[in-house]
Amino acid sequence: MALQLIPVLFFIIPIIAILAPHLGALFVPVVAYMAISVAVCWRAAAWTATHAGGWAVLAVPGAVAFLISDGFIGVNKFVGPFPGRDVVVMTTYWLGQVLMTSSIVNSAV
């Protein structure tokens, strides 16, 4: 399962590097929040592994979409606005929510 997080790290490490110079006193809380978001991806991978088949496979892409949304929120808040930010943030946010929620359909909870 740890290997499944390698692609997540390829996203989160550059985001932290981009945000770090702009965070000031919020560096520790923001990095802690991002670590929690990575843990969500890890647990989504665990859910997928223990609930093989069906809709469970949607948990990881849902968690990753949510993580991407959070990354774009951070860039918008701390680095500066970028074109299309509202569409990008809300699309990835809702995609993540729908996929994570859908991953429990037909699963024995």
Side-chain angles (χ1 to χ4, degrees):
M1 260 181 285
L3 292 177
Q4 294 170 333
L5 290 180
I6 291 173
V8 171
L9 296 178
F10 280 113
F11 173 76
I12 202 72
I13 291 171
I15 288 294
I16 291 172
I18 290 167
L19 295 177
H22 307 278
L23 295 175
L26 292 176
F27 179 80
V28 171
V30 169
V31 171
Y33 180 81
M34 305 267 324
I36 291 167
S37 295
V38 169
V40 169
C41 292
W42 169 57
R43 296 313 305 155
W47 172 263
T48 300
T50 59
H51 295 80
W55 294 57
V57 297
L58 300 176
V60 172
V64 170
F66 190 76
L67 179 69
I68 291 169
S69 174
D70 281 352
F72 284 128
I73 289 170
V75 169
N76 181 62
K77 173 75 175 165
F78 297 108
V79 178
F82 56 92
R85 67 187 176 271
D86 294 336
V87 172
V88 171
V89 167
M90 294 312 295
T91 300
T92 53
Y93 173 83
W94 282 109
L95 178 64
Q97 294 298 315
V98 167
L99 292 175
M100 285 191 289
T101 303
S102 296
S103 73
I104 65 168
V105 172
N106 294 328
S107 297
V109 178

